[in-house]
Amino acid sequence: AEVFLAPRAYVYLSALVVVIAVLVIFVEPRYAERHILVWLTLCSVISSMTVVACRGFSSLVTQAASDCAAEHCVDDVLRPPCSQTLAHWFFWLLLVVIIVTAVWSAYYLNKAMQFFGNSETVPVYYCTFMLMSIVGGALVFNEFETVRGAQLAMFLSGVVLAILGVWLITSGRHSSPAPALSQS
């Protein structure tokens, strides 16, 4: 939980909220039906919040067995069982964030699939989701703290190659909207 209290986590999560608000209020109404990246960027930004929340939630779940076994001392204070995991408000906040952001991101992914079709949406979403998840994890959990020049170059090369591969596979395809469902 202390990772989420770091200034870099506040800055990242605040920036996400601003980006989501700008996309939903200004960009989506004007451009979403013409540009696949609008809904997929929204979906990926929201999904990166899901990824960050899942990582924090899973670490609390793995600590629950030891935390709930008996009373224990934290910072020279005797704590009751489960006080640092299941009985902590942050555990439940992360669960709510996971559920809300997962459903919310699926909404935008479905909208993109309705307008642009699966063969265009899925590969582009793969790239945007990968990028936003990497950025989210790197910033909130400080994952690149120990990465040095050659490692970072190899990592970035892998990301570029993955995106280039998806682009090569999907280039030349024309978007074909999903057929409308008939209402009977």
Side-chain angles (χ1 to χ4, degrees), residues 3-183:
V3 167
F4 291 97
L5 300 177
R8 67 181 175 271
Y10 283 125
V11 169
Y12 174 70
L13 295 173
S14 299
L16 284 184
V17 169
V18 169
V19 167
I20 291 169
V22 167
L23 287 170
V24 168
I25 295 168
F26 299 110
V27 179
E28 182 190 11
R30 293 184 187 131
Y31 303 107
E33 291 182 12
R34 293 186 317 239
H35 302 286
I36 192 170
L37 280 175
V38 174
W39 281 321
L40 294 183
T41 300
L42 261 169
C43 181
S44 298
V45 168
I46 295 166
S47 293
S48 75
M49 290 171 57
T50 309
V51 169
V52 168
C54 279
R55 187 161 169 193
F57 184 78
S58 67
S59 71
L60 290 175
V61 167
T62 58
Q63 295 171 9
S66 63
D67 181 49
C68 295
E71 292 180 337
H72 53 279
C73 209
V74 177
D75 297 326
D76 295 328
V77 176
L78 187 62
R79 306 278 178 167
C82 300
S83 65
Q84 299 297 303
T85 55
L86 302 178
H88 199 277
W89 63 270
F90 195 65
F91 177 87
W92 299 103
L93 175 67
L94 287 176
L95 181 60
V96 168
V97 168
I98 290 166
I99 293 167
V100 169
T101 56
V103 170
W104 196 15
S105 66
Y107 170 76
Y108 287 115
L109 183 60
N110 285 330
K111 283 183 94 167
M113 286 182 179
Q114 287 174 344
F115 277 84
F116 298 101
N118 295 350
S119 64
E120 191 175 0
T121 301
V122 172
V124 175
Y125 175 64
Y126 167 77
C127 293
T128 57
F129 174 75
M130 177 185 60
L131 284 174
M132 293 310 299
S133 296
I134 289 168
V135 169
L139 292 176
V140 173
F141 296 102
N142 205 18
E143 290 178 339
F144 289 137
E145 180 180 34
T146 59
V147 175
R148 300 295 170 240
Q151 294 170 324
L152 183 60
M154 288 174 52
F155 174 75
L156 292 175
S157 297
V159 170
V160 168
L161 284 173
I163 292 170
L164 183 61
V166 168
W167 179 75
L168 286 172
I169 289 170
T170 60
S171 65
R173 289 188 186 182
H174 300 289
S175 64
S176 55
L181 298 174
S182 63
Q183 297 180 0

